[in-house]
Amino acid sequence: MLAACERTPPTAPAAGTPPSYTVAATGTAPRAATPCDLISLDELRQVFPGEVTRAPEHHAAFGISTCEWNGDFGRLLVQQWASKGHTPQDEVRDLVAGFIDPKSPGAAQRVRMVSPRDLGNYATAVVEARDPSAGLLSDIAVLSIARNGQTLVFLTDALDEQQRDASLDKLVQLGHFAYARL
């Protein structure tokens, strides 16, 4: 069995002061019609200041809706689809497999999967910097959450210059904005 496919629970993030941000209370925010409605421009600017553009996409053949935000910060991509038995933890694990060197012993075990609080069961995030010597072929910043029969996956390249914990906090902050509307 491949180590990246094992179903071990993600570890909880290190204790510390939670990030400061404003999000609508769960259950009171209006439901989003598209992934672009999951995060407002004001909310995105709380995380990534500056000018932002967005572009929605829908891939009917796959049942995936997408929104891409671009700005001085880089790129944020959010994909949404109907959940079909694959947990957010499974989604992240599958994505991570594409970022590691399968010939590098222990590369999958070096990827630290965390379970962010208050984002539902199996919410999973990974933020790791590229480290070819450890078998990590590319930077990865991904969060997956599920709610009300929908799965969301956040991918961004906007966290390259930051420390891992700060990057993880920003990704989770975006997840909280979206979770309130999912």
Side-chain angles (χ1 to χ4, degrees):
M1 176 185 266
L2 295 173
C5 294
E6 292 175 11
R7 281 186 174 254
T8 56
T11 58
T17 305
S20 171
Y21 54 90
T22 305
V23 64
T26 302
T28 61
R31 285 254 175 106
T34 72
C36 288
D37 300 325
L38 291 167
I39 302 168
S40 73
L41 289 178
D42 287 341
E43 290 167 339
L44 188 63
R45 287 184 186 118
Q46 284 185 46
V47 178
F48 301 121
E51 292 302 312
V52 179
T53 61
R54 70 179 191 175
E57 290 183 23
H58 182 72
H59 304 281
F62 302 106
I64 299 174
S65 295
T66 302
C67 192
E68 180 178 328
W69 290 268
N70 290 284
D72 295 336
F73 63 87
R75 176 178 179 233
L76 170 66
L77 180 71
V78 177
Q79 298 178 321
Q80 178 180 7
W81 62 86
S83 300
K84 296 179 180 151
H86 215 67
T87 68
Q89 186 181 19
D90 295 332
E91 294 299 334
V92 170
R93 189 175 288 111
D94 290 349
L95 285 167
V96 165
F99 287 84
I100 60 172
D101 181 353
K103 297 177 186 175
S104 178
Q109 289 77 23
R110 290 184 187 96
V111 175
R112 297 166 288 178
M113 295 175 64
V114 297
S115 182
R117 293 184 207 144
D118 302 323
L119 289 176
N121 295 332
Y122 300 105
T124 304
V126 168
V127 175
E128 295 290 352
R130 178 179 181 270
D131 184 355
S133 65
L136 303 175
L137 302 175
S138 180
D139 293 337
I140 182 171
V142 61
L143 167 68
S144 184
I145 60 178
R147 185 172 189 214
N148 295 327
Q150 295 290 302
T151 295
L152 292 181
V153 173
F154 299 74
L155 295 159
T156 187
D157 63 1
L159 305 172
D160 297 342
E161 303 295 321
Q162 300 177 25
Q163 295 296 323
R164 180 181 177 271
D165 290 342
S167 297
L168 186 59
D169 287 345
K170 286 186 175 205
L171 196 57
V172 170
Q173 181 177 350
L174 293 169
H176 280 279
F177 293 140
Y179 191 76
R181 294 182 181 100
L182 191 58

